[in-house]
Amino acid sequence: MKHYALIGEKLGHSLSVPIHEAIFQRLGIDADYRLIEIPRDDFAPTVRRLIAELDGFNVTIPYKQDVMPLLDAIDPAAQAIGAVNTVVKGARVCGHNTDILGFTAMLRHYGIDPLDQPCYVLGGGGTAKTACAALMRMGAKSVTVVSRHPGPGQIDYQRLTEDFSGILVNTTPAGMLYQKDPCPIDEAALPGILARAKGVVDVIYNPPETVLTAAARAAGIPACTGLYMLIGQAVAAESLWQGLPMPDDLTETLMKELTLL
């Protein structure tokens, strides 16, 4: 039996176990998948131990960048993005990014097209880097990162309220189950921002509707949360781990068949 896992700091919201178990069952793979929470102070030694014990693993908040120096190699696409969410063991332990495939497929599935649109990405972690790379690949007119503590080339939330138009992408935890902040944007500023939105993407998948996407839908704006992305990146990760192509319709099938929330 092969052994896989998701590593992160807090995983109480995760739906990855039933998704990967469904893939194992459908494809007849003898494997298991579990969640492994790692405190920040124990990250490096724990990951080194898991590399020896597991056949592969996924990486989530806040470790998609921290894991990179611990690996033997980084796939060029993941290196360009600056974030790893899937670790594959072979002759070398290599980091990949399947999030970009899931994110791109999600936008296409929900008809949110960044082509020639200014796009604004909330957050500065590994998922934000992935979203920025995907949006540029899909032909965005521009991609601007929004942060509470902006670095070079980034803007803060006050500037967002002044400048925004186009597509809004949330990659912060605000709005996630068990998080104290229900929305990444202040309630007073939200209507003005949504009035200029062409689409709203929230990579949060639990709950299935966030304050941000509910407000967007109520305003008649195309919006989605991140379950399609989660399943899509899991399918892509399994393809890497098993060394096999996955059925083209597997993400769509799992979206329809799985009861996760």
Side-chain angles (χ1 to χ4, degrees):
M1 174 180 280
K2 294 181 178 180
H3 304 287
Y4 302 99
L6 171 67
I7 68 170
E9 187 177 31
K10 297 178 181 178
L11 301 176
H13 65 285
S14 177
L15 304 176
S16 291
V17 170
I19 292 170
H20 285 275
E21 288 180 342
I23 297 172
F24 297 152
Q25 183 176 12
R26 178 170 289 275
L27 300 181
I29 298 169
D30 185 20
D32 60 26
Y33 191 98
R34 60 194 171 108
L35 306 179
I36 302 175
E37 294 188 344
I38 306 175
R40 287 179 183 265
D41 292 345
D42 296 336
F43 179 71
T46 302
V47 168
R48 292 189 181 99
R49 174 176 58 80
L50 292 174
I51 286 173
E53 294 176 357
L54 298 172
D55 294 284
F57 55 91
N58 291 127
V59 186
T60 191
I61 295 172
Y63 299 133
K64 293 183 181 183
Q65 298 167 82
D66 295 347
V67 76
M68 296 173 73
L70 304 178
L71 308 177
D72 297 331
I74 307 295
D75 174 76
Q79 188 72 62
I81 293 167
V84 160
N85 80 304
T86 300
V87 174
V88 179
K89 284 179 63 176
R92 297 187 297 173
V93 181
C94 186
H96 297 257
N97 190 304
T98 64
D99 278 338
I100 192 168
L101 302 175
F103 183 90
T104 302
M106 177 175 68
L107 265 61
R108 289 175 176 158
H109 176 77
Y110 288 102
I112 298 174
D113 188 0
L115 182 64
D116 294 330
Q117 292 286 342
C119 299
Y120 292 78
V121 177
L122 312 183
T127 305
K129 292 178 182 293
T130 300
C132 290
L135 292 165
M136 292 304 295
R137 284 189 187 184
M138 297 177 77
K141 181 179 180 180
S142 62
V143 179
T144 303
V145 172
V146 184
S147 173
R148 300 201 184 279
H149 305 285
Q154 301 177 354
I155 64 172
D156 62 16
Y157 281 77
Q158 178 58 44
R159 180 79 177 272
L160 175 71
T161 63
E162 299 166 0
D163 293 356
F164 175 76
S165 67
I167 292 175
L168 185 70
V169 179
N170 177 44
T171 71
T172 77
M176 187 185 293
L177 194 68
Y178 307 129
Q179 287 286 327
K180 64 178 181 179
D181 295 325
C183 185
I185 297 173
D186 290 339
E187 182 180 358
L190 189 56
I193 288 175
L194 293 179
R196 293 168 276 158
K198 301 294 184 183
V200 171
V201 179
D202 197 333
V203 302
I204 289 171
Y205 54 83
N206 193 2
E209 186 84 284
T210 63
V211 170
L212 179 61
T213 57
R217 293 185 204 277
I221 299 161
C224 67
T225 46
L227 184 58
Y228 197 98
M229 175 182 173
L230 178 69
I231 295 175
Q233 66 79 26
V235 169
E238 287 293 345
S239 181
L240 289 171
W241 289 334
Q242 310 308 328
L244 298 169
M246 296 289 112
D248 291 339
D249 62 348
L250 184 55
T251 298
E252 200 77 33
T253 299
L254 294 175
M255 276 290 291
K256 293 175 181 177
E257 293 185 356
L258 287 178
T259 303
L260 297 169
L261 297 165

PDB file of all heavy atoms in Angstrom, residues 235-252:
ATOM      1  N   VAL A 235      -6.617  15.745  -8.577  1.00  0.00           N
ATOM      2  CA  VAL A 235      -6.537  14.846  -9.731  1.00  0.00           C
ATOM      3  C   VAL A 235      -5.172  14.962 -10.402  1.00  0.00           C
ATOM      4  O   VAL A 235      -4.531  13.958 -10.751  1.00  0.00           O
ATOM      5  CB  VAL A 235      -7.673  15.147 -10.728  1.00  0.00           C
ATOM      6  CG1 VAL A 235      -7.459  14.412 -12.047  1.00  0.00           C
ATOM      7  CG2 VAL A 235      -9.024  14.768 -10.122  1.00  0.00           C
ATOM      8  N   ALA A 236      -4.699  16.195 -10.568  1.00  0.00           N
ATOM      9  CA  ALA A 236      -3.385  16.416 -11.187  1.00  0.00           C
ATOM     10  C   ALA A 236      -2.262  15.853 -10.315  1.00  0.00           C
ATOM     11  O   ALA A 236      -1.278  15.301 -10.827  1.00  0.00           O
ATOM     12  CB  ALA A 236      -3.170  17.902 -11.443  1.00  0.00           C
ATOM     13  N   ALA A 237      -2.394  15.986  -9.001  1.00  0.00           N
ATOM     14  CA  ALA A 237      -1.382  15.428  -8.093  1.00  0.00           C
ATOM     15  C   ALA A 237      -1.339  13.911  -8.196  1.00  0.00           C
ATOM     16  O   ALA A 237      -0.255  13.308  -8.242  1.00  0.00           O
ATOM     17  CB  ALA A 237      -1.676  15.853  -6.654  1.00  0.00           C
ATOM     18  N   GLU A 238      -2.497  13.272  -8.249  1.00  0.00           N
ATOM     19  CA  GLU A 238      -2.534  11.820  -8.375  1.00  0.00           C
ATOM     20  C   GLU A 238      -1.899  11.356  -9.688  1.00  0.00           C
ATOM     21  O   GLU A 238      -1.235  10.314  -9.731  1.00  0.00           O
ATOM     22  CB  GLU A 238      -3.975  11.313  -8.281  1.00  0.00           C
ATOM     23  CG  GLU A 238      -4.562  11.372  -6.889  1.00  0.00           C
ATOM     24  CD  GLU A 238      -3.903  10.420  -5.914  1.00  0.00           C
ATOM     25  OE1 GLU A 238      -3.179   9.501  -6.358  1.00  0.00           O
ATOM     26  OE2 GLU A 238      -4.101  10.572  -4.695  1.00  0.00           O
ATOM     27  N   SER A 239      -2.075  12.113 -10.742  1.00  0.00           N
ATOM     28  CA  SER A 239      -1.444  11.772 -12.016  1.00  0.00           C
ATOM     29  C   SER A 239       0.076  11.756 -11.875  1.00  0.00           C
ATOM     30  O   SER A 239       0.757  10.849 -12.378  1.00  0.00           O
ATOM     31  CB  SER A 239      -1.874  12.763 -13.097  1.00  0.00           C
ATOM     32  OG  SER A 239      -1.299  12.428 -14.345  1.00  0.00           O
ATOM     33  N   LEU A 240       0.613  12.732 -11.145  1.00  0.00           N
ATOM     34  CA  LEU A 240       2.058  12.781 -10.913  1.00  0.00           C
ATOM     35  C   LEU A 240       2.519  11.622 -10.025  1.00  0.00           C
ATOM     36  O   LEU A 240       3.536  10.974 -10.302  1.00  0.00           O
ATOM     37  CB  LEU A 240       2.431  14.115 -10.263  1.00  0.00           C
ATOM     38  CG  LEU A 240       2.333  15.360 -11.148  1.00  0.00           C
ATOM     39  CD1 LEU A 240       2.505  16.623 -10.305  1.00  0.00           C
ATOM     40  CD2 LEU A 240       3.383  15.325 -12.257  1.00  0.00           C
ATOM     41  N   TRP A 241       1.781  11.357  -8.955  1.00  0.00           N
ATOM     42  CA  TRP A 241       2.178  10.292  -8.027  1.00  0.00           C
ATOM     43  C   TRP A 241       2.122   8.908  -8.671  1.00  0.00           C
ATOM     44  O   TRP A 241       3.003   8.084  -8.465  1.00  0.00           O
ATOM     45  CB  TRP A 241       1.284  10.307  -6.786  1.00  0.00           C
ATOM     46  CG  TRP A 241       1.513  11.467  -5.888  1.00  0.00           C
ATOM     47  CD1 TRP A 241       2.669  12.193  -5.744  1.00  0.00           C
ATOM     48  CD2 TRP A 241       0.567  12.045  -4.989  1.00  0.00           C
ATOM     49  NE1 TRP A 241       2.489  13.187  -4.815  1.00  0.00           N
ATOM     50  CE2 TRP A 241       1.223  13.126  -4.330  1.00  0.00           C
ATOM     51  CE3 TRP A 241      -0.762  11.775  -4.667  1.00  0.00           C
ATOM     52  CZ2 TRP A 241       0.574  13.913  -3.375  1.00  0.00           C
ATOM     53  CZ3 TRP A 241      -1.402  12.556  -3.722  1.00  0.00           C
ATOM     54  CH2 TRP A 241      -0.740  13.613  -3.081  1.00  0.00           C
ATOM     55  N   GLN A 242       1.076   8.669  -9.451  1.00  0.00           N
ATOM     56  CA  GLN A 242       0.871   7.343 -10.036  1.00  0.00           C
ATOM     57  C   GLN A 242       1.585   7.179 -11.369  1.00  0.00           C
ATOM     58  O   GLN A 242       1.699   6.055 -11.868  1.00  0.00           O
ATOM     59  CB  GLN A 242      -0.630   7.058 -10.208  1.00  0.00           C
ATOM     60  CG  GLN A 242      -1.481   7.299  -8.985  1.00  0.00           C
ATOM     61  CD  GLN A 242      -0.969   6.606  -7.733  1.00  0.00           C
ATOM     62  OE1 GLN A 242      -0.378   5.524  -7.794  1.00  0.00           O
ATOM     63  NE2 GLN A 242      -1.175   7.224  -6.569  1.00  0.00           N
ATOM     64  N   GLY A 243       2.063   8.284 -11.950  1.00  0.00           N
ATOM     65  CA  GLY A 243       2.710   8.213 -13.244  1.00  0.00           C
ATOM     66  C   GLY A 243       1.762   7.804 -14.346  1.00  0.00           C
ATOM     67  O   GLY A 243       2.160   7.168 -15.325  1.00  0.00           O
ATOM     68  N   LEU A 244       0.494   8.196 -14.204  1.00  0.00           N
ATOM     69  CA  LEU A 244      -0.544   7.800 -15.150  1.00  0.00           C
ATOM     70  C   LEU A 244      -1.421   9.001 -15.490  1.00  0.00           C
ATOM     71  O   LEU A 244      -1.690   9.836 -14.623  1.00  0.00           O
ATOM     72  CB  LEU A 244      -1.440   6.716 -14.549  1.00  0.00           C
ATOM     73  CG  LEU A 244      -0.787   5.382 -14.171  1.00  0.00           C
ATOM     74  CD1 LEU A 244      -1.771   4.556 -13.347  1.00  0.00           C
ATOM     75  CD2 LEU A 244      -0.361   4.624 -15.425  1.00  0.00           C
ATOM     76  N   PRO A 245      -1.912   9.088 -16.723  1.00  0.00           N
ATOM     77  CA  PRO A 245      -2.909  10.126 -17.022  1.00  0.00           C
ATOM     78  C   PRO A 245      -4.223   9.803 -16.337  1.00  0.00           C
ATOM     79  O   PRO A 245      -4.609   8.632 -16.228  1.00  0.00           O
ATOM     80  CB  PRO A 245      -3.034  10.062 -18.552  1.00  0.00           C
ATOM     81  CG  PRO A 245      -2.647   8.665 -18.905  1.00  0.00           C
ATOM     82  CD  PRO A 245      -1.587   8.261 -17.913  1.00  0.00           C
ATOM     83  N   MET A 246      -4.902  10.804 -15.850  1.00  0.00           N
ATOM     84  CA  MET A 246      -6.215  10.638 -15.244  1.00  0.00           C
ATOM     85  C   MET A 246      -7.300  10.802 -16.307  1.00  0.00           C
ATOM     86  O   MET A 246      -7.088  11.489 -17.319  1.00  0.00           O
ATOM     87  CB  MET A 246      -6.423  11.678 -14.139  1.00  0.00           C
ATOM     88  CG  MET A 246      -5.472  11.545 -12.962  1.00  0.00           C
ATOM     89  SD  MET A 246      -5.775  10.108 -11.897  1.00  0.00           S
ATOM     90  CE  MET A 246      -4.291   9.131 -12.232  1.00  0.00           C
ATOM     91  N   PRO A 247      -8.463  10.186 -16.119  1.00  0.00           N
ATOM     92  CA  PRO A 247      -9.556  10.391 -17.068  1.00  0.00           C
ATOM     93  C   PRO A 247      -9.884  11.873 -17.236  1.00  0.00           C
ATOM     94  O   PRO A 247      -9.906  12.624 -16.255  1.00  0.00           O
ATOM     95  CB  PRO A 247     -10.727   9.635 -16.421  1.00  0.00           C
ATOM     96  CG  PRO A 247     -10.070   8.592 -15.558  1.00  0.00           C
ATOM     97  CD  PRO A 247      -8.811   9.227 -15.056  1.00  0.00           C
ATOM     98  N   ASP A 248     -10.149  12.307 -18.464  1.00  0.00           N
ATOM     99  CA  ASP A 248     -10.372  13.727 -18.739  1.00  0.00           C
ATOM    100  C   ASP A 248     -11.542  14.301 -17.949  1.00  0.00           C
ATOM    101  O   ASP A 248     -11.549  15.481 -17.615  1.00  0.00           O
ATOM    102  CB  ASP A 248     -10.621  13.936 -20.244  1.00  0.00           C
ATOM    103  CG  ASP A 248      -9.380  13.686 -21.082  1.00  0.00           C
ATOM    104  OD1 ASP A 248      -8.265  13.744 -20.523  1.00  0.00           O
ATOM    105  OD2 ASP A 248      -9.524  13.422 -22.289  1.00  0.00           O
ATOM    106  N   ASP A 249     -12.543  13.464 -17.665  1.00  0.00           N
ATOM    107  CA  ASP A 249     -13.755  13.955 -17.004  1.00  0.00           C
ATOM    108  C   ASP A 249     -13.760  13.690 -15.506  1.00  0.00           C
ATOM    109  O   ASP A 249     -14.794  13.834 -14.849  1.00  0.00           O
ATOM    110  CB  ASP A 249     -14.990  13.312 -17.636  1.00  0.00           C
ATOM    111  CG  ASP A 249     -15.014  11.785 -17.473  1.00  0.00           C
ATOM    112  OD1 ASP A 249     -13.967  11.203 -17.081  1.00  0.00           O
ATOM    113  OD2 ASP A 249     -16.062  11.171 -17.746  1.00  0.00           O
ATOM    114  N   LEU A 250     -12.609  13.316 -14.935  1.00  0.00           N
ATOM    115  CA  LEU A 250     -12.608  12.895 -13.535  1.00  0.00           C
ATOM    116  C   LEU A 250     -12.966  14.030 -12.588  1.00  0.00           C
ATOM    117  O   LEU A 250     -13.745  13.837 -11.642  1.00  0.00           O
ATOM    118  CB  LEU A 250     -11.245  12.310 -13.166  1.00  0.00           C
ATOM    119  CG  LEU A 250     -11.124  11.734 -11.752  1.00  0.00           C
ATOM    120  CD1 LEU A 250     -12.195  10.689 -11.484  1.00  0.00           C
ATOM    121  CD2 LEU A 250      -9.733  11.136 -11.534  1.00  0.00           C
ATOM    122  N   THR A 251     -12.426  15.224 -12.815  1.00  0.00           N
ATOM    123  CA  THR A 251     -12.761  16.357 -11.936  1.00  0.00           C
ATOM    124  C   THR A 251     -14.254  16.644 -11.986  1.00  0.00           C
ATOM    125  O   THR A 251     -14.912  16.813 -10.946  1.00  0.00           O
ATOM    126  CB  THR A 251     -11.975  17.614 -12.345  1.00  0.00           C
ATOM    127  OG1 THR A 251     -10.576  17.358 -12.206  1.00  0.00           O
ATOM    128  CG2 THR A 251     -12.349  18.802 -11.463  1.00  0.00           C
ATOM    129  N   GLU A 252     -14.804  16.685 -13.190  1.00  0.00           N
ATOM    130  CA  GLU A 252     -16.236  16.946 -13.358  1.00  0.00           C
ATOM    131  C   GLU A 252     -17.067  15.863 -12.673  1.00  0.00           C
ATOM    132  O   GLU A 252     -18.064  16.149 -11.987  1.00  0.00           O
ATOM    133  CB  GLU A 252     -16.566  16.985 -14.853  1.00  0.00           C
ATOM    134  CG  GLU A 252     -17.855  17.686 -15.202  1.00  0.00           C
ATOM    135  CD  GLU A 252     -17.725  19.197 -15.155  1.00  0.00           C
ATOM    136  OE1 GLU A 252     -16.652  19.727 -15.459  1.00  0.00           O
ATOM    137  OE2 GLU A 252     -18.723  19.838 -14.793  1.00  0.00           O
TER     138      GLU A 252
END
